[in-house]
Amino acid sequence: FTDGSTMSVLTHTLAVLFGMGSWVSINGLWVELPLIVPQIPEGWYLPSYLSVLIQMANVGPLFVTLMHRFRPGALNETAVIYAIIALGTAASFLLGFFWKETVVVAGVPRSLALLVLTFFLAAVDCTSSVTFLPFMMRLQPQYLTTYFIGEGVSGLLPALVALVQGVGVVHCVNSTQPLNGSGNASAGAADHRLQARYQPSNFSAEAFFFFLSAMMLVCLLAFLLLNLHPAVAREQPVPRYSNGTKERSRARRTRAEQRPMMDPFRRQKPRSSFGTGSYSWTQVVYIFVILAWVNALSNTVLPSVQSYSCLPYGNNAYHLSATLAAVSNPLACFVAMFVSIRSLVFMGFLTVLGTGIGSYIMFMAALSPCPLLVNDTSGAAVMVLAWILFILSLSYVKVIIGVILRDEGHSALVWCGAVVQLGSLLGALTMFPLVSVYGLFSSGDPCGTSCL
């Protein structure tokens, strides 16, 4: 590669493939649930177990964050990334062989292999938040946005493959049932309803897990090239960093150019010792609170009620909202590549907008199986649009915060990943008892006949 534009395309492509490996395994496991659940003893309790396992896996990012805080420089970040990607590749591959295997535990059959391997996958994906992002400090700033596009693709790609696979595809057929248990349908006393029948998949869950393993292998190869390819090395802005010291000294000299265009706290003094010192502590807290909030909403709170909010409007509305929401994430990152508004005021506006839309989605989920406009086509259209705008607005906020913290140095991106996981954890801890323990939400009928 001798042409500069060609090198740029190569690096952008590798950054996307590297980011794709961040959450592709767990996202893939979630979209495969309708095919897995009928074949394991845990049944539909499995999503609750997965939520707990994923939050337990936050021990990985906790360890990395504490090492960066108390033993800076002691952790070989590159070796950690190689290890976790290799672990994710192996765990996904083994799932293809052992996900249906059961072991009797305390007299009850359990999918022990599935649960253990899921924990390893969750540990890989959670730890990626505090290792992949800081690694991107080694490249030019524009590649961080490309990385976020790849992170969005990690949710989109498994969803598209699952659609091709035919996971959760429902055909609604007429079902005639006699009334009053008389069994005399010929007398006219019959109840005509649409009954949901799930269609067999086009290929097996085993093949899907092998696909996830291949995606992790692609991520590993992308990281290898990002780390070693001479063309990528020539685009690195500075030599290998040492705990962010070079970036901080360099950024301090140019921080006037890096300030947000609209700073609502401009007159507050003194500036903090955080990163380059461009932001006061009030602003730092403001940024991290928003980061935790938007990740809690978009990663755990609203996804936990997506089926409740959409299924009452029909199976098509559910699949359309899930697919277009998955598309919205990388789309927001793509927009941020060309329109990067670092205004803290605008960030707050988008957060309020996304929160308002999320509140509507949550309200409709609480009204399930009979939300507003349930038997109207406009109800389904509004719900699909709500999911698109919700993910678009909050995904843009996450990218802009990542870009801002990238300018603050390596340790700022470590804390960025830690706060992302903290927000997701708090969201999961909030929603788990509401959904799985107290059962405050009721599922609608995939054929949209719950309120007829």
Side-chain angles (χ1 to χ4, degrees), residues 305 308-309 360-371 440-442:
V305 298
Y308 301 106
S309 68
Y360 171 79
I361 295 172
M362 181 65 71
F363 184 53
M364 294 303 102
L367 293 178
S368 178
C370 299
L440 298 183
F441 299 90
S442 300

Side-chain angles (χ1 to χ4, degrees), residues 267-388:
R267 294 185 177 87
Q268 293 198 15
K269 299 292 183 180
R271 293 286 175 175
S272 70
S273 59
F274 178 82
T276 65
S278 300
Y279 295 92
S280 68
W281 279 115
T282 304
Q283 292 171 301
V284 172
V285 171
Y286 171 80
I287 291 170
F288 278 125
V289 167
I290 286 183
L291 182 63
W293 176 255
V294 298
N295 277 281
L297 292 183
S298 60
N299 292 350
T300 51
V301 174
L302 270 300
S304 66
V305 298
Q306 185 168 26
S307 61
Y308 301 106
S309 68
C310 298
L311 273 181
Y313 298 103
N315 193 62
N316 288 336
Y318 173 67
H319 278 283
L320 197 59
S321 65
T323 303
L324 293 181
V327 172
S328 299
N329 191 325
L331 177 61
C333 302
F334 185 76
V335 170
M337 286 185 67
F338 303 98
V339 185
S340 180
I341 303 175
R342 299 190 186 189
S343 164
L344 300 186
V345 171
F346 185 65
M347 184 192 303
F349 167 75
L350 285 183
T351 302
V352 171
L353 175 65
T355 301
I357 297 173
S359 299
Y360 171 79
I361 295 172
M362 181 65 71
F363 184 53
M364 294 303 102
L367 293 178
S368 178
C370 299
L372 302 178
L373 302 173
V374 65
N375 294 319
D376 196 315
T377 305
S378 63
V382 169
M383 180 54 64
V384 171
L385 182 62
W387 270 101
I388 293 173

Side-chain angles (χ1 to χ4, degrees), residues 137 247-248 251 258 274-279 403-413:
M137 278 292 300
E247 284 79 358
R248 283 197 296 272
Q258 297 172 345
F274 178 82
T276 65
S278 300
Y279 295 92
V403 170
I404 288 174
L405 295 179
R406 193 264 177 212
D407 289 340
E408 297 306 303
H410 175 266
S411 62
L413 283 181

